[in-house]
Amino acid sequence: MAEILLTGSLPSRLLRDLDGREYMWCSGTDYLGMGHHAGFITHLTEGIGQYGTHFGSSRNNSLQLTIYREAEVLLAAFTGAPAALTVSSGMLAGQLIRGWLGKLSDTVVTYESPHLHPALRFPGSTKSSGTNWLGDAVEAINSAAADAMHVIYTDAIGSPWVEAVDFSPLMTLKRENTWVVVDDSHGLGVMGASGGGNYRQLAAIPGINLVVVASLNKALGIPGGVLLGRQNVLDGVRQSPWFSAGSPAPPAYMYALKQSIVHGDYYQAYVRLLQNNTLFRAAFDAGSRLAYLDDYVGYSTLDTGLYTFLKEQGILASCFSYPDPEAPPMVRLVISAAHQPADMERLAAACSAYYT
């Protein structure tokens, strides 16, 4: 699909192309609308005034900024994790934990979900296949020799194709040295208690070594990533040369993250997000037309005609091949907290018209 070129910056819900035509933006990953949220911008401006625009040093250097630890403590509480460690991107978070785990044992056996995000993949690694891939992995782990370390890598929520992972097979794991690493980039801020993501749900699974990674540059609006897990695990990751040599997320954004949690900006946006999604679903019955989840705000389909029709109505969804050029183009609709009730009525009416 031909891209839409903008004349300026991308607002949270409205944009104009080079010909001056206005579109309502109904995709992307700014789920909570932090990109143009007044409170968030105020916090960020305060943070820039205090910390400048970036931190040009390693976090393991002799100079330590307390804002990172303060933000991480609040982020851990927000997600329900024992501890949190922030890095410069979700991609780095995934590659960092994968590299660190690979050095814990001479024999590491890995299992990857069929549509695993590139953040948790290594070049040449092999993804699983089949709808029962996790059950097959658990069966293989339970029957494997005792000297190997096993690591399962998966997303919590599929993207761009919207699908959930059934984690119930993990309840039958018999080996307590199994690691489970989950990318929750599309759940953090959107799902779980008060938008805290899926860590609490996953932590209820007994007998696993759990690490959750996520991009903060989606719902929470922070150009960075996070690892969630036990403190001793994150302390070990922090000693990795990849962490020590990598620049951190800008401290001004860590300040904005802290203040947005303390002042309830994320929670208030989360409530609006749920309200918008409820309005859309009340006005349009997705049925079997779109792939969606009961507690999620994304919708997907391989029917590219929907993209074309919505574009003609002045509504822009995403439609491109991802994560590689060989993948089929997929239409992805996203409800955000920045949308207005009238936007939901307009989107629902357009979707209903297309499927009538």
Side-chain angles (χ1 to χ4, degrees):
M1 297 295 171
E3 68 273 14
I4 298 293
L5 300 178
L6 303 182
T7 57
S9 62
L10 178 65
S12 293
R13 54 181 283 273
L14 297 176
L15 57 91
R16 287 187 178 88
D17 65 14
L18 294 180
D19 295 324
R21 184 178 183 187
E22 186 175 271
Y23 295 88
M24 181 173 70
W25 177 230
C26 289
S27 197
T29 59
D30 187 16
Y31 299 111
L32 297 182
M34 290 296 117
H36 287 74
H37 186 280
F40 183 87
I41 292 173
T42 296
H43 302 323
L44 180 58
T45 302
E46 293 171 352
I48 292 174
Q50 185 169 348
Y51 296 100
T53 59
H54 76 124
F55 181 53
S57 181
S58 169
R59 281 192 61 191
N60 288 346
N61 204 337
S62 54
L63 172 61
Q64 302 280 323
L65 295 183
T66 59
I67 187 60
Y68 288 101
R69 178 55 60 88
E70 293 169 358
E72 287 164 352
V73 168
L74 286 170
L75 191 53
F78 177 66
T79 60
L85 181 67
T86 57
V87 292
S88 59
S89 72
M91 286 292 294
L92 178 58
Q95 295 292 292
L96 189 56
I97 188 61
R98 179 138 193 177
W100 183 76
L101 286 173
K103 296 181 181 299
L104 289 187
S105 174
D106 293 333
T107 305
V108 180
V109 183
T110 62
Y111 309 84
E112 300 183 358
S113 62
H115 305 296
L116 184 66
H117 191 278
L120 283 176
R121 296 200 67 197
F122 267 4
S125 61
T126 302
K127 292 185 286 188
S128 302
S129 60
T131 57
N132 192 42
W133 72 270
L134 186 53
D136 293 340
V138 169
E139 183 177 345
I141 293 169
N142 286 340
S143 60
D147 59 342
M149 186 180 88
H150 299 265
V151 187
I152 296 171
Y153 294 100
T154 182
D155 300 311
I157 300 296
S159 177
W161 188 256
V162 178
E163 60 183 349
V165 173
D166 178 12
F167 288 99
S168 61
L170 294 177
M171 301 297 290
T172 63
L173 264 175
K174 299 176 182 178
R175 296 174 59 94
E176 294 189 355
N177 65 334
T178 299
W179 291 80
V180 178
V181 181
V182 179
D183 188 329
D184 197 26
S185 295
H186 296 277
L188 182 58
V190 178
M191 304 180 72
S194 301
N198 289 293
Y199 189 95
R200 290 180 177 88
Q201 169 195 346
L202 295 167
I205 301 173
I208 63 172
N209 297 309
L210 175 65
V211 177
V212 170
V213 299
S215 168
L216 298 174
N217 201 24
K218 298 188 184 331
L220 302 190
I222 306 296
V226 67
L227 299 95
L228 303 168
R230 300 194 309 269
Q231 187 66 63
N232 66 316
V233 172
L234 301 188
D235 287 345
V237 171
R238 183 164 182 152
Q239 300 310 310
S240 165
W242 283 16
F243 179 87
S244 184
S247 298
Y253 276 93
M254 290 295 100
Y255 177 87
L257 173 65
K258 171 186 173 181
Q259 297 300 325
S260 295
I261 294 176
V262 170
H263 290 277
D265 296 297
Y266 288 143
Y267 176 71
Q268 293 163 17
Y270 166 74
V271 171
R272 289 196 300 274
L273 176 66
L274 296 187
Q275 291 172 342
N276 284 341
N277 202 35
T278 298
L279 287 173
F280 174 67
R281 292 193 181 187
F284 171 65
D285 181 11
S288 60
R289 301 158 176 167
L290 303 174
Y292 69 98
L293 304 173
D294 289 341
D295 55 350
Y296 191 57
V297 297
Y299 304 81
S300 59
T301 177
L302 291 172
D303 180 4
T304 57
L306 177 62
Y307 168 83
T308 302
F309 180 82
L310 292 178
K311 183 181 174 184
E312 292 171 350
Q313 307 302 311
I315 300 172
L316 189 63
S318 65
C319 185
F320 66 109
S321 299
Y322 180 87
D324 53 65
E326 289 74 31
M330 188 177 301
V331 181
R332 189 168 187 264
L333 288 169
V334 171
I335 307 303
S336 87
H339 286 123
Q340 303 300 310
D343 297 333
M344 298 298 90
E345 296 175 4
R346 177 184 173 190
L347 177 62
C351 289
S352 297
Y354 178 75
Y355 287 107
T356 299

